[in-house]
């Protein structure tokens, strides 16, 4: 790679962008970025201008020789890029609100990356990411695609399976959030903690926890059982685990496991929240309005602390750490979404998994974890089947596969229910699902 890196960020008008800019500023000495191109669509133009001007002020305050460009021309932004990062939302938060509200009518959890919501976010997003991959082949064939767009696992799966781009890594802030939360529980610096992660995106387990190289998993599990909130990470607000369950599981679940191990309680909580406070999308929409009002302030030249309420804590740490490790061939260990290649014995070799990997300039080298524990294996395999069928439905526009995918998902109790939800959600999102027309 040449000196003076070019990074193109698709979805540059996102409220998360200041996280990314902060990370690039902090690591400039090891990651000499000369150009940051923030790209968005016409509907996101106003937000792009606001957040882009904040990004320029942040770079100016840091006194670094980085040019920040704002554009609606994706191809122009991607030309000769070294890294393309994706953090977009097809249909914006209004589409997410439908993903969350419609399933509730059927007694099913509505959530951004799980169940019906995860399916339809994938159906809307995968065709767009594959178009981006085609652009990359022509405009920046040597670039790395770093995807933050949800559902990250399904999207990484689709890129690996249906595009010619192999230099792709999916990233989520849940694993680093788990690391940070466990370090806080143990009252130690994050650098002293390492977790063996294995599973799928939003379905990942901490199979082992090390403090200074010594296993402390049993101690951590005991501490988690004493908490009031089972998620203990900011992404979602969970419900306390039953100590007997967690001890027998003998692994650290991620926050999203609440939706599978506490389905009824989480449905009731989500339904009540939707009726009182609004869906998560509606809450985030209000949060974002406040954030963008802050971003408009011409005196603001740092990432505001209020951004952490958006659920993006440690996003910049995870994102820029990964990019820097690829660029500098650091060979450190990070949890990423990448091709399995035999690292998890019970998942197909050519499928995307979320796993601890050694990060090299050739990309992630997943660490062999062997087989998943029998207690979690079946659920992970079921979700992988859901992701595979959902990705195929997104690419082909096959209605029958969409119904099959949702029926496979453990949050949906029957094929009849799955068909009814798919029918209503296809109609609600038809503007963004031309492949099903």
């Amino acid at each position: 790679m040449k000196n003076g890196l070019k990074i193109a960020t698709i979805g540059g008008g996102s409220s998360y962008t200041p996280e990314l800019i902060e990370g690039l500023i902090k690591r400039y000495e090891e990651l000499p970025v000369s150009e940051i191109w923030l790209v968005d669509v016409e509907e996101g133009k106003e937000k792009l201008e606001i957040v882009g001007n904040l990004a320029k002020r942040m770079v100016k305050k840091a006194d670094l020789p980085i040019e920040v460009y704002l554009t609606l021309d994706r191809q122009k932004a991607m030309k000769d890029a070294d890294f393309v990062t994706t953090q977009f939302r097809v249909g914006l938060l209004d589409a997410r609100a439908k993903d969350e509200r419609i399933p509730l009518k059927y007694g099913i959890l509505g959530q951004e990356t799980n169940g019906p919501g995860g399916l339809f976010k994938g159906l809307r997003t995968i065709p767009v990411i594959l178009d981006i991959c085609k652009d990359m082949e022509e405009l920046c064939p040597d670039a790395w695609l770093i995807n933050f767009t949800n559902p990250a696992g399904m999207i990484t799966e689709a890129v690996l399976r249906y595009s010619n781009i192999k230099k792709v890594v999916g990233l989520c802030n849940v694993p680093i959030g788990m690391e940070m939360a466990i370090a806080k529980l143990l009252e130690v610096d994050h650098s002293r903690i390492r977790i063996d992660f294995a599973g799928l995106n939003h379905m990942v387990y901490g199979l082992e926890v090390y403090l200074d190289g010594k296993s402390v998993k049993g101690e951590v599990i005991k501490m988690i059982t004493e908490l009031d909130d089972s998620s203990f990470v900011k992404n979602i607000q969970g419900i306390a685990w039953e100590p007997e369950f967690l001890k027998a599981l003998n692994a650290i679940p991620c926050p999203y496991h609440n939706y599978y191990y506490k389905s009824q309680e989480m449905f009731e909580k989500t339904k009540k929240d939707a009726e009182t406070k609004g869906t998560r999308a509606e809450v985030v929409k209000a949060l974002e309005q406040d954030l963008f009002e802050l971003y408009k302030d011409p005196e603001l030249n740092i990432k505001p602390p209020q951004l952490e309420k958006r659920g993006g804590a440690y996003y910049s740490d995870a994102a820029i750490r990964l990019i820097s490790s690829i660029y500098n061939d650091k060979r450190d260990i990070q949890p990423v979404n990448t091709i399995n290649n035999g690292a998890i014995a019970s998942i197909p070799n050519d499928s995307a998994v979320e796993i601890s990997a050694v990060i090299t300039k050739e990309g992630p080298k997943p660490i062999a974890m062997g087989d998943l524990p029998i207690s979690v294996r079946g659920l992970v395999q079921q979700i992988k089947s859901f992701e595979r069928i959902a990705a195929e439905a997104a690419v082909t526009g096959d209605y029958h596969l969409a119904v099959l995918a949702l029926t496979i998902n453990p949050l949906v109790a029957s094929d009849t229910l799955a068909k009814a939800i798919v029918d209503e959600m296809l109609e609600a999102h038809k503007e963004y699902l031309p492949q099903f027309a």
Side-chain angles (χ1 to χ4, degrees):
M1 293 179 185
K2 61 185 182 295
N3 286 332
L5 296 171
K6 177 178 178 178
I7 296 180
T9 296
I10 316 295
S14 164
S15 60
Y16 284 138
T17 295
E19 278 269 359
L20 202 63
I21 301 299
E22 181 188 66
L24 289 169
I25 289 169
K26 281 183 178 176
R27 293 182 188 257
Y28 180 77
E29 291 304 315
E30 62 186 70
L31 196 65
V33 175
S34 59
E35 297 180 33
I36 302 169
W37 288 70
L38 303 179
V39 190
D40 222 302
V41 292
E42 187 64 42
E43 301 96 304
K45 186 177 180 180
E46 183 185 2
K47 285 184 175 180
L48 177 65
E49 291 288 335
I50 294 168
V51 82
N53 286 326
L54 171 57
K56 289 177 181 180
R57 294 193 300 271
M58 290 172 72
V59 168
K60 185 178 179 182
K61 179 178 187 288
D63 194 26
L64 292 173
I66 301 172
E67 288 290 332
V68 178
Y69 298 90
L70 315 181
T71 184
L72 303 182
D73 186 339
R74 188 172 80 198
Q75 283 77 18
K76 186 178 179 182
M78 292 169 68
K79 177 69 174 167
D80 298 326
D82 296 287
F83 290 90
V84 176
T85 71
T86 45
Q87 54 180 39
F88 59 90
R89 183 185 297 281
V90 178
L92 309 177
L93 284 167
D94 289 340
R96 177 177 175 177
K98 291 176 185 176
D99 287 344
E100 292 170 339
R101 277 207 179 270
I102 291 170
L104 292 176
K105 292 162 49 178
Y106 296 88
I108 303 292
L109 269 161
Q111 207 278 328
E112 181 184 22
T113 59
N114 296 261
L119 171 64
F120 274 81
K121 193 166 195 304
L123 296 181
R124 294 193 301 273
T125 306
I126 286 169
V128 179
I129 203 88
L130 295 179
D131 278 346
I132 290 168
C133 289
K134 285 176 187 170
D135 286 347
M136 287 181 69
E137 284 184 60
E138 182 183 340
L139 299 167
C140 51
D142 295 324
W144 280 94
L145 174 60
I146 311 294
N147 176 64
F148 311 115
T149 300
N150 276 325
M154 192 190 295
I155 287 170
T156 308
E157 182 79 35
V159 171
L160 289 169
R161 203 166 286 281
Y162 299 106
S163 87
N164 294 319
I165 299 298
K166 301 307 170 196
K167 294 170 77 171
V168 56
V169 188
L171 196 62
C172 178
N173 70 337
V174 167
I176 193 172
M178 291 169 69
E179 290 173 4
M180 293 289 195
I182 286 172
K184 189 175 179 182
L185 283 177
L186 294 170
E187 299 181 335
V188 299
D189 187 78
H190 171 235
S191 62
R192 295 172 61 191
I193 293 290
R194 199 178 74 72
I195 301 176
D196 282 342
F197 286 105
L200 308 175
N201 180 237
H202 291 184
M203 178 54 64
V204 74
Y205 294 85
L207 299 184
E208 188 53 87
V209 184
Y210 302 98
L211 172 61
D212 299 332
K214 179 185 174 186
S215 173
V216 289
K217 181 171 68 171
E219 181 183 344
V220 170
I221 287 174
K222 184 175 185 300
M223 294 172 89
I224 293 172
T225 64
E226 294 166 356
L227 298 174
D228 293 331
D229 181 350
S230 63
S231 64
F232 78 96
V233 179
K234 289 184 179 181
N235 292 62
I236 66 168
Q237 187 180 355
I239 302 162
W241 296 115
E242 296 295 339
E244 295 82 1
F245 161 74
L246 206 58
K247 186 176 180 182
L249 188 69
N250 197 32
I252 314 296
C254 81
Y256 290 85
H257 282 113
N258 278 267
Y259 294 114
Y260 299 96
Y261 294 133
K262 291 184 172 291
S263 299
Q264 190 58 39
E265 295 96 325
M266 289 301 288
F267 168 74
E268 289 166 1
K269 182 180 183 304
T270 305
K271 190 167 187 289
K272 184 181 176 183
D273 286 349
E275 291 166 352
T276 53
K277 298 183 285 189
T279 66
R280 176 64 184 163
E282 290 155 358
V283 170
V284 165
K285 202 170 180 181
L287 269 174
E288 283 207 342
Q289 284 173 350
D290 293 343
L291 278 172
F292 277 95
E293 283 303 312
L294 280 174
Y295 293 172
K296 285 178 185 177
D297 180 357
E299 301 302 312
L300 182 70
N301 55 14
I302 60 167
K303 180 195 79 177
Q306 293 93 326
L307 181 54
E308 284 203 7
K309 294 179 184 174
R310 174 68 180 82
Y314 315 122
Y315 164 54
S316 65
D317 282 340
I320 309 306
R321 178 178 71 169
L322 173 63
I323 292 172
S324 177
S325 292
I326 293 173
Y327 175 70
N328 292 298
D329 198 25
K330 282 194 175 181
R331 306 183 185 211
D332 54 349
I333 296 172
Q334 297 177 34
V336 294
N337 287 265
T338 189
I339 192 164
N340 183 28
N341 276 345
I344 300 177
S346 36
I347 299 292
N349 290 347
D350 60 350
S351 276
V353 292
E354 188 162 278
I355 193 161
S356 298
V358 178
I359 309 300
T360 75
K361 64 183 175 184
E362 297 88 34
K365 308 292 183 186
I367 296 170
M369 297 291 175
D371 227 335
L372 291 170
I374 192 68
S375 54
V376 307
R377 189 184 307 163
L379 180 57
V380 172
Q381 289 173 325
Q382 190 175 1
I383 293 296
K384 177 44 66 182
S385 296
F386 162 70
E387 287 184 350
R388 285 274 298 268
I389 302 297
E392 187 179 353
V395 170
T396 60
D398 189 319
Y399 165 75
H400 304 91
L401 288 177
V403 173
L404 175 62
L406 195 54
T407 306
I408 288 170
N409 192 282
L411 296 182
V412 180
S414 79
D415 58 343
T416 304
L417 201 55
K419 181 182 182 300
I421 295 171
V422 166
D423 287 347
E424 182 165 351
M425 292 183 76
L426 278 175
E427 179 62 28
H429 290 299
K430 62 184 176 183
E431 179 184 354
Y432 301 107
L433 295 170
Q435 72 270 41
F436 288 93

